[in-house]
Amino acid sequence: MEDLFQVGIITGTHGLKGEVKVFPTTDDKNRFLELEDVLLDTGNELKKLKVEYCKFFKKFVFVKFEGLDDINEVEQFKRCPLMVTRENAVPLDEDEYYVADLIGLTIVDDSGVTIGKLENVIETGANDVYEVLTQDGGRVLLPAIKDCILDVDTEEGVILVHLLKGLVD
Protein backbone atom coordinates (compact mmCIF):
# COMPACT_ATOMS: atom_id res chain seq x y z
CA MET A 1 0.00 0.00 0.00
CA GLU A 2 1.14 3.49 -0.74
CA ASP A 3 2.35 5.57 2.21
CA LEU A 4 2.25 8.91 0.38
CA PHE A 5 -0.63 10.52 -1.48
CA GLN A 6 -0.39 13.38 -3.95
CA VAL A 7 -2.67 16.32 -3.11
CA GLY A 8 -1.46 18.81 -5.71
CA ILE A 9 1.16 19.93 -8.20
CA ILE A 10 2.87 23.31 -8.07
CA THR A 11 2.21 24.96 -11.42
CA GLY A 12 4.01 28.24 -10.78
CA THR A 13 4.61 31.13 -8.46
CA HIS A 14 2.20 33.83 -7.37
CA GLY A 15 3.46 37.28 -6.49
CA LEU A 16 6.90 38.07 -5.12
CA LYS A 17 6.58 36.92 -1.50
CA GLY A 18 6.96 33.15 -1.94
CA GLU A 19 3.41 32.01 -2.72
CA VAL A 20 3.01 29.08 -5.10
CA LYS A 21 0.09 28.27 -7.37
CA VAL A 22 -1.07 24.68 -6.87
CA PHE A 23 -3.34 22.59 -9.04
CA PRO A 24 -5.14 20.32 -6.55
CA THR A 25 -5.19 16.60 -7.39
CA THR A 26 -7.40 15.74 -4.44
CA ASP A 27 -11.18 15.33 -4.50
CA ASP A 28 -11.68 18.25 -2.12
CA LYS A 29 -9.40 21.25 -2.47
CA ASN A 30 -10.69 22.59 0.86
CA ARG A 31 -8.51 19.95 2.52
CA PHE A 32 -5.63 22.41 2.04
CA LEU A 33 -7.19 24.54 4.80
CA GLU A 34 -6.42 21.79 7.33
CA LEU A 35 -2.92 20.90 6.13
CA GLU A 36 -0.20 21.85 8.58
CA ASP A 37 2.63 20.49 6.47
CA VAL A 38 3.25 18.76 3.17
CA LEU A 39 6.07 16.86 1.54
CA LEU A 40 7.47 18.48 -1.59
CA ASP A 41 8.75 15.88 -4.06
CA THR A 42 11.68 17.55 -5.82
CA GLY A 43 12.52 14.39 -7.74
CA ASN A 44 15.68 13.93 -5.66
CA GLU A 45 14.25 14.22 -2.16
CA LEU A 46 11.11 14.74 -0.12
CA LYS A 47 11.24 18.12 1.56
CA LYS A 48 8.92 18.74 4.52
CA LEU A 49 7.33 22.21 4.32
CA LYS A 50 5.08 23.85 6.89
CA VAL A 51 2.00 25.53 5.39
CA GLU A 52 1.69 29.14 6.58
CA TYR A 53 -1.62 29.79 4.80
CA CYS A 54 -3.57 29.06 1.66
CA LYS A 55 -6.25 30.80 -0.37
CA PHE A 56 -8.33 29.83 -3.36
CA PHE A 57 -8.79 31.31 -6.80
CA LYS A 58 -10.88 29.50 -9.41
CA LYS A 59 -9.57 25.94 -9.62
CA PHE A 60 -6.22 26.74 -7.99
CA VAL A 61 -4.91 26.95 -4.45
CA PHE A 62 -2.29 29.55 -3.57
CA VAL A 63 -0.05 28.24 -0.79
CA LYS A 64 2.53 30.06 1.30
CA PHE A 65 5.14 27.98 3.11
CA GLU A 66 6.84 29.14 6.32
CA GLY A 67 10.39 30.37 5.78
CA LEU A 68 10.06 30.74 2.01
CA ASP A 69 9.40 34.45 1.64
CA ASP A 70 10.74 35.25 -1.81
CA ILE A 71 9.79 34.25 -5.35
CA ASN A 72 13.39 33.14 -5.97
CA GLU A 73 13.14 30.54 -3.19
CA VAL A 74 10.06 28.84 -4.66
CA GLU A 75 10.58 29.21 -8.42
CA GLN A 76 12.56 25.97 -8.50
CA PHE A 77 9.50 24.04 -7.26
CA LYS A 78 7.46 24.44 -10.46
CA ARG A 79 5.99 21.08 -11.57
CA CYS A 80 6.80 19.46 -8.21
CA PRO A 81 4.11 17.31 -6.58
CA LEU A 82 2.88 18.00 -3.06
CA MET A 83 2.37 14.86 -1.01
CA VAL A 84 0.87 13.94 2.36
CA THR A 85 1.45 10.88 4.49
CA ARG A 86 -1.25 8.27 4.95
CA GLU A 87 -1.81 9.63 8.48
CA ASN A 88 -2.58 13.08 7.02
CA ALA A 89 -4.82 11.75 4.25
CA VAL A 90 -8.55 12.43 4.31
CA PRO A 91 -10.26 9.78 6.45
CA LEU A 92 -12.35 7.31 4.50
CA ASP A 93 -15.93 6.24 5.09
CA GLU A 94 -16.98 2.61 5.00
CA ASP A 95 -16.59 1.05 1.54
CA GLU A 96 -14.26 3.86 0.41
CA TYR A 97 -10.68 3.27 -0.70
CA TYR A 98 -7.70 5.32 -1.74
CA VAL A 99 -7.16 4.94 -5.50
CA ALA A 100 -3.46 4.27 -4.87
CA ASP A 101 -4.44 1.20 -2.81
CA LEU A 102 -6.64 -0.18 -5.59
CA ILE A 103 -4.27 0.09 -8.55
CA GLY A 104 -2.69 -3.28 -9.29
CA LEU A 105 -5.29 -5.38 -7.48
CA THR A 106 -6.40 -8.60 -9.20
CA ILE A 107 -9.94 -8.56 -10.58
CA VAL A 108 -11.80 -11.87 -10.16
CA ASP A 109 -15.39 -12.50 -11.25
CA ASP A 110 -17.94 -14.20 -9.02
CA SER A 111 -17.41 -17.53 -10.80
CA GLY A 112 -13.72 -17.50 -9.77
CA VAL A 113 -12.24 -16.52 -13.15
CA THR A 114 -9.38 -14.00 -13.02
CA ILE A 115 -10.14 -11.11 -15.37
CA GLY A 116 -6.93 -9.09 -14.97
CA LYS A 117 -5.42 -6.24 -12.96
CA LEU A 118 -6.89 -2.86 -12.09
CA GLU A 119 -4.86 -0.35 -14.06
CA ASN A 120 -6.72 2.94 -13.60
CA VAL A 121 -9.70 4.50 -11.85
CA ILE A 122 -11.57 6.96 -14.05
CA GLU A 123 -13.61 9.56 -12.21
CA THR A 124 -16.89 10.40 -13.88
CA GLY A 125 -19.78 12.50 -12.68
CA ALA A 126 -22.00 9.60 -11.69
CA ASN A 127 -19.60 6.92 -10.43
CA ASP A 128 -16.00 5.86 -10.84
CA VAL A 129 -15.08 3.41 -13.57
CA TYR A 130 -12.40 0.75 -13.06
CA GLU A 131 -10.15 0.19 -16.08
CA VAL A 132 -8.93 -3.39 -16.04
CA LEU A 133 -6.04 -4.71 -18.11
CA THR A 134 -7.07 -8.25 -19.01
CA GLN A 135 -4.70 -11.21 -19.10
CA ASP A 136 -4.79 -11.23 -22.91
CA GLY A 137 -3.83 -7.54 -23.11
CA GLY A 138 -7.33 -6.19 -23.66
CA ARG A 139 -9.21 -3.70 -21.53
CA VAL A 140 -12.49 -3.90 -19.67
CA LEU A 141 -14.30 -0.96 -18.08
CA LEU A 142 -16.25 -1.79 -14.93
CA PRO A 143 -18.59 0.69 -13.25
CA ALA A 144 -17.75 1.05 -9.54
CA ILE A 145 -21.30 0.33 -8.40
CA LYS A 146 -22.57 -2.21 -5.85
CA ASP A 147 -24.17 -4.37 -8.57
CA CYS A 148 -20.75 -4.83 -10.19
CA ILE A 149 -18.12 -4.48 -7.43
CA LEU A 150 -19.02 -7.14 -4.87
CA ASP A 151 -16.00 -6.98 -2.54
CA VAL A 152 -12.66 -5.24 -2.22
CA ASP A 153 -9.96 -6.96 -0.19
CA THR A 154 -6.84 -4.79 -0.22
CA GLU A 155 -4.99 -7.16 2.13
CA GLU A 156 -5.50 -10.15 -0.19
CA GLY A 157 -5.07 -7.93 -3.27
CA VAL A 158 -8.38 -8.96 -4.87
CA ILE A 159 -11.51 -7.21 -6.10
CA LEU A 160 -14.47 -9.56 -6.56
CA VAL A 161 -16.80 -8.44 -9.35
CA HIS A 162 -20.01 -9.47 -11.04
CA LEU A 163 -19.76 -8.93 -14.78
CA LEU A 164 -22.99 -7.26 -15.80
CA LYS A 165 -24.39 -8.27 -19.16
CA GLY A 166 -22.73 -6.37 -21.99
CA LEU A 167 -19.52 -5.44 -20.16
CA VAL A 168 -17.44 -8.21 -21.76
CA ASP A 169 -17.87 -9.80 -25.19
Side-chain angles (χ1 to χ4, degrees), residues 43-60:
N44 298 324
E45 66 176 329
L46 289 175
K47 193 174 197 160
K48 188 174 183 177
L49 298 174
K50 190 157 185 68
V51 176
E52 189 172 313
Y53 65 83
C54 71
K55 55 189 177 184
F56 304 99
F57 181 72
K58 296 186 180 179
K59 63 182 178 181
F60 293 98

Side-chain angles (χ1 to χ4, degrees), residues 103-143:
I103 301 298
L105 294 185
T106 301
I107 307 297
V108 177
D109 76 11
D110 49 1
S111 67
V113 175
T114 299
I115 312 268
K117 298 263 185 206
L118 182 64
E119 187 170 82
N120 189 20
V121 176
I122 303 165
E123 295 180 29
T124 68
N127 55 266
D128 291 346
V129 175
Y130 292 177
E131 182 179 6
V132 179
L133 181 61
T134 62
Q135 294 178 322
D136 63 1
R139 297 195 185 280
V140 174
L141 299 176
L142 302 174

Side-chain angles (χ1 to χ4, degrees), residues 30-147:
N30 289 321
R31 76 167 333 281
F32 278 88
L33 294 170
E34 297 179 21
L35 284 178
E36 292 182 18
D37 51 55
V38 294
L39 296 169
L40 176 79
D41 185 355
T42 66
N44 298 324
E45 66 176 329
L46 289 175
K47 193 174 197 160
K48 188 174 183 177
L49 298 174
K50 190 157 185 68
V51 176
E52 189 172 313
Y53 65 83
C54 71
K55 55 189 177 184
F56 304 99
F57 181 72
K58 296 186 180 179
K59 63 182 178 181
F60 293 98
V61 182
F62 295 109
V63 180
K64 170 72 174 68
F65 300 113
E66 280 186 13
L68 299 175
D69 301 317
D70 184 85
I71 187 174
N72 297 316
E73 295 175 304
V74 294
E75 237 173 7
Q76 62 188 325
F77 301 143
K78 287 180 186 172
R79 293 181 292 286
C80 288
L82 294 176
M83 315 292 281
V84 296
T85 60
R86 184 175 287 275
E87 296 81 39
N88 290 323
V90 174
L92 297 174
D93 291 329
E94 189 176 335
D95 291 332
E96 286 187 335
Y97 304 92
Y98 298 114
V99 171
D101 292 343
L102 297 176
I103 301 298
L105 294 185
T106 301
I107 307 297
V108 177
D109 76 11
D110 49 1
S111 67
V113 175
T114 299
I115 312 268
K117 298 263 185 206
L118 182 64
E119 187 170 82
N120 189 20
V121 176
I122 303 165
E123 295 180 29
T124 68
N127 55 266
D128 291 346
V129 175
Y130 292 177
E131 182 179 6
V132 179
L133 181 61
T134 62
Q135 294 178 322
D136 63 1
R139 297 195 185 280
V140 174
L141 299 176
L142 302 174
I145 58 175
K146 288 189 185 284
D147 290 343

